[in-house]
Amino acid sequence: MRVNCTVNGDARQADDVWPGESLLYVLRERLGLPGSKNACEQGECGSCTVYLDGTPVCACLVAAGQAEGRDVVTIEGLAESRVQEAFLEAGAVQCGFCTPGLIVAVHDLLAREEKPSDPDIREALAGNLCRCTGYEKIMDAVRLAAAR
């Protein structure tokens, strides 16, 4: 099967996609975009979060064929964002495995709420697991990004 979609603003095509292949696999292995991480493959950790037509989704749970004709934005498409800069400045990046999903989640939060409260931030990040931090540096990064 062939999948045609727009990824980070560019028309992209993936060939020889088998019906059970995930969008995450296509992005990483067929389109060369390794930023979204493959951690749990069950939609529990948030490391693979991407935008699909403007809505954050776990790419590991989206069948590749569902992306046909749609708009996908990955962490690579958010490379020059205030969120990434804030994560670096606040020291919120440790091993980096959860970071792409967290950045997409925070980007989405700040698109909806200019000045989120701490409970709003916690709720927005609830679908993202980090095994390295105590989340406080991540909270600091979100506050920093919101202040900009």
Side-chain angles (χ1 to χ4, degrees), residues 7-119:
V7 180
N8 300 328
D10 297 324
R12 300 294 300 266
Q13 176 178 298
D15 291 316
D16 300 322
V17 175
W18 56 277
E21 218 164 275
S22 70
L23 175 59
L24 178 62
Y25 186 87
V26 168
L27 291 170
R28 289 179 57 81
E29 306 300 330
R30 298 192 183 277
L31 299 180
L33 296 167
S36 302
K37 303 302 181 206
N38 184 5
C40 73
E41 295 183 344
Q42 297 176 11
E44 295 291 328
C45 72
S47 294
C48 66
T49 304
V50 299
Y51 283 110
L52 183 62
D53 289 339
T55 301
V57 298
C58 290
C60 71
L61 297 180
V62 176
Q66 291 178 286
E68 177 66 32
R70 298 175 77 182
D71 184 49
V72 178
V73 177
T74 68
I75 186 66
E76 289 90 348
L78 301 176
E80 300 299 323
S81 76
R82 65 183 170 155
V83 177
Q84 284 198 23
E85 292 171 10
F87 266 66
L88 290 172
E89 285 180 37
V93 177
Q94 288 193 18
C95 82
F97 215 77
C98 65
T99 307
L102 285 165
I103 288 175
V104 174
V106 172
H107 186 272
D108 181 62
L109 170 65
L110 296 180
R112 291 181 286 111
E113 289 189 50
E114 196 173 298
K115 300 288 183 196
S117 66
D118 281 2

